[in-house]
Amino acid sequence: MNKISILDCTLRDGGYINNWHFKRNAIQRIVDYLEEAHIDIIECGFLQECSYNENVALFSDVNQIKPFITPKRPNTMYVAMLALGDIEPEKIAPYDGESIDGIRITFHKHEWNACKEVVQDLCAKGYKVFVQPVGTIAYSDLELIRLVQEVNTLSPFAFYIVDTLGTMYQKDLLHLFNLIDNNLSPDIQIGFHSHNNLQLSFANAQELLRMKTRRNIIIDSSVFGMGRGAGNLATELVTQYINDNLEYRFQVTPLLSIVDQFLGSIYNKTPWGYSAPYYLAAVGGCHPNYATYLMNKQTLNVEEISKILNQIPNEERSLYNENLIERLYLEYQRYQIDDSEAYKRIAKIIEGRNILLVAPGQSIITYKESIQEYIQTNNPLIISVNFVTDLYPQDLVFISNKKRSVQLLDSISGYKNMIVTSNLYSQMPKDCLFVNYSNLIGEGREADNAGAMLISLLYKVGIKSVTLAGFDGFNTHNYENYYSEDMNSVIDRQALLEKNEGIRRQLLHLSKKVSIKFLTPSLYDLTCD
């Protein structure tokens, strides 16, 4: 009879959600609760070259893990993960029985020769070593058999099937398992690490639990399925299934305490789980970060995300290439037109006027009196950016966002003067003032930020100064970043920070050409340096 082990990777794989910033007490209590739940293998975090912070589940020395697992619970194994190249193996102290017992090493196909040496070194140091090839399904049968044969010569503790892209169906998993099971040395365990893009993690885990094999099996999971993108197999689900269908081994209540005390608040800020874009990434065999990048743009609907994902070359699908997806995104948005007449009309409309640009930040409500006073005193020409509102009169509406344009079609029907970028040419009324999208974008992150694009357009027609209201920036604490709840959407904290910095850089560059004054508080305020 084979033994089934559950490996919980909440502190490691779940850490992608919050950049591993769990706080010291939470790391300790999560380990304690996993022990109380009788989880077989507890993954404490990543081993990598970093400045150690006890509040973060990243470790540059195995001795830094000791305080969190002392005293060690009998019959529990403690491990950490090493992504090949993140830390030199000579910096990892030999196993002493007091820190972690095992090290999971993950690598890409082209890195195997370098990985072999690290596996040998870690085995020699006394660790139980887990060999985990990224994207196992991408190996041909012959490649996988050859890899397994070489793994046999190293005698690691476990060899893994890693469903990196979350694309495996039952037939795929069983095919890989049987291929490995028939060629792997009998004393090496087989592990399975899944991602839940197609909502199959739990179903596939059940298939493994029903397997008739003498080989010991390890199944990875995380509490509440915590993990980037669509997340992972939920530890509480698989342990309850084992209790009900195989043998009563686990205490599930401590796992729910982890959710209640630590993960619920993280989920509320940065949720993970099934979504249409992650589904599209999975069925297209793409790295989920491609979908995340396009979702975080907040400019595309699902159909458009699908079209861009389909343009990713096959050789680039399994490894995330941000430069590639950014280029494909910008190319998708381009649509060249003759916009000379539009520029003439815009120049005539704004000639001799002060310009007030209004964006949909919360400050257009909280500073309504100040804005109205400014309007009464200066009589500016008011241009709203990717939205319309009844709070203030608008002389022009600037629209560059495909997702927003669909939402705005009804509310903008009464506006005569709409400036629209050419990427929206096919879906907007033909009496709009269409301007070429590609001539307005900047460089780097947030190159197509609507506010920056509009300022660039105004510069082209001779405007030397603009006043901004509602350009608040993205608050990473309450995630309510717009004056209307309907406009709020969920983006992870790191993505928001990067958006803030990217937009600020765009405005900083433009400020060398156009004087930019903020009427309401803004994280982009260039005078705050």
Side-chain angles (χ1 to χ4, degrees), residues 112 128 163 166 174 194 219 226 279 286 336 351-352 395 401 410 413 443 456 472 497 503 517:
W112 172 237
K128 293 179 172 66
D163 187 12
L174 296 182
S194 63
I219 296 177
M226 185 180 184
Y279 161 80
C286 297
Q336 291 298 117
E351 184 178 6
D395 301 288
N401 184 314
D410 291 335
S413 58
E443 296 181 359
S456 179
D472 302 358
L497 291 172
I503 294 170
K517 184 183 300 182

Side-chain angles (χ1 to χ4, degrees), residues 508-526:
L508 179 62
H509 176 73
L510 287 166
S511 69
K512 298 173 183 178
K513 306 174 183 177
V514 179
S515 173
I516 299 174
K517 184 183 300 182
F518 289 87
L519 184 57
T520 56
S522 172
L523 295 174
Y524 312 135
D525 193 341
L526 309 176

Side-chain angles (χ1 to χ4, degrees), residues 110-129:
H110 66 277
E111 298 175 320
W112 172 237
N113 286 332
C115 184
K116 282 191 293 187
E117 298 181 11
V118 179
V119 172
Q120 288 176 319
D121 181 82
L122 295 176
C123 286
K125 289 181 176 180
Y127 290 102
K128 293 179 172 66
V129 179

Side-chain angles (χ1 to χ4, degrees), residues 34-66:
L34 292 173
E35 291 175 339
E36 291 177 28
H38 300 168
I39 298 302
D40 303 289
I41 307 173
I42 299 173
E43 188 171 41
C44 302
F46 264 113
L47 283 172
Q48 60 180 233
E49 198 72 62
C50 61
S51 296
Y52 176 59
N53 180 339
E54 66 176 5
N55 295 306
V56 182
L58 301 174
F59 308 96
S60 59
D61 190 319
V62 293
N63 292 316
Q64 295 162 355
I65 305 175
K66 285 183 182 180

Side-chain angles (χ1 to χ4, degrees), residues 268-301:
N268 288 337
K269 292 181 179 179
T270 313
W272 55 90
Y274 178 79
S275 73
Y278 292 132
Y279 161 80
L280 292 172
V283 297
C286 297
H287 196 287
N289 282 3
Y290 286 124
T292 300
Y293 176 90
L294 297 174
M295 290 167 62
N296 287 343
K297 280 293 185 182
Q298 295 184 287
T299 59
L300 302 169
N301 59 37

Side-chain angles (χ1 to χ4, degrees), residues 4 92 149 184 200 227 244 263 267 333 348 375 440 446 479 496 511 515:
I4 302 293
I92 299 174
Q149 289 172 341
L184 190 67
L200 291 173
D244 291 342
L263 305 190
Y267 179 84
Q333 297 281 54
K348 186 174 181 179
I375 293 172
L440 300 178
E446 302 305 319
Y479 294 85
L496 288 176
S511 69
S515 173

